[in-house]
């Protein structure tokens, strides 16, 4: 399923209200060229622009961002977050072994267990990143 862009959502909502670009521009104070650029996906509206459009279309700003569309500067996905967390856990285990070993607060068995867990977490992170 193709993800919808913000611009496609804006265009669909504008057309559903029976408005032309010129009419929406008149209601929002945003130029037709800017609105057309947003709808075509060449640029993205800022928060102020979204607010003006939402008010003109009698919608909440969140309504314009609904429907699972791609958004500029979208944060990492859950999979990316898990991958990063696994890699961070692996690195943390290695640092913990090094520091605790240096301070002589870690016996050999504990060190091997921590290193094994760290390597396993790092391996999971690497495998997930190769998908």
């Amino acid at each position: 399923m193709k993800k919808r862009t913000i611009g496609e959502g804006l265009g669909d909502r504008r057309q559903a209200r029976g408005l032309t670009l010129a009419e929406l521009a008149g209601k929002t104070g945003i130029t037709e060229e800017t609105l057309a650029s947003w709808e075509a996906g060449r640029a993205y509206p800022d928060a102020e622009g979204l607010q003006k459009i939402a008010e003109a279309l009698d919608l909440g700003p969140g309504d314009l961002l609904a429907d699972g569309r791609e958004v500029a500067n979208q944060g990492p996905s859950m999979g990316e977050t898990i991958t990063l967390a696994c890699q961070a856990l692996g690195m943390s285990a290695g640092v913990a072994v090094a520091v605790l070993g240096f301070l002589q607060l870690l016996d050999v068995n504990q060190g091997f267990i921590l290193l094994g867990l760290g390597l396993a977490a790092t391996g999971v992170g690497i495998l997930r990143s190769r998908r």
Side-chain angles (χ1 to χ4, degrees):
M1 180 178 161
K2 179 183 177 267
K3 291 184 178 184
R4 289 169 30 117
T5 64
I6 290 174
E8 289 170 334
L10 294 176
D12 290 347
R13 297 256 166 59
R14 174 182 59 79
Q15 292 169 1
R17 298 287 195 276
L19 296 173
T20 65
L21 278 173
E23 291 168 331
L24 185 57
K27 287 180 168 233
T28 61
I30 300 169
T31 67
E32 285 183 64
E33 293 78 19
T34 299
L35 291 170
S37 179
W38 292 347
E39 287 188 10
R42 293 186 302 272
Y44 296 96
D46 59 9
E48 183 181 346
L50 284 174
Q51 181 66 38
K52 288 179 180 181
I53 292 169
E55 289 173 4
L57 298 177
D58 197 28
L59 299 168
D63 295 334
L64 293 171
L65 298 175
D67 301 338
R69 294 175 310 286
E70 293 177 312
V71 179
N73 299 321
Q74 185 174 349
S77 69
M78 180 61 74
E80 292 168 330
T81 302
I82 291 169
T83 299
L84 290 172
C86 288
Q87 292 171 345
L89 178 62
M91 185 176 285
S92 299
V95 169
V97 168
V99 170
L100 292 173
F102 178 77
L103 296 174
Q104 297 178 348
L105 298 173
L106 186 69
D107 70 34
V108 174
N109 288 334
Q110 291 172 330
F112 280 121
I113 290 170
L114 273 175
L115 284 176
L117 290 172
L119 286 172
T122 302
V124 169
I126 290 170
L127 289 174
R128 287 192 56 83
S129 68
R130 293 185 180 199
R131 286 174 156 198

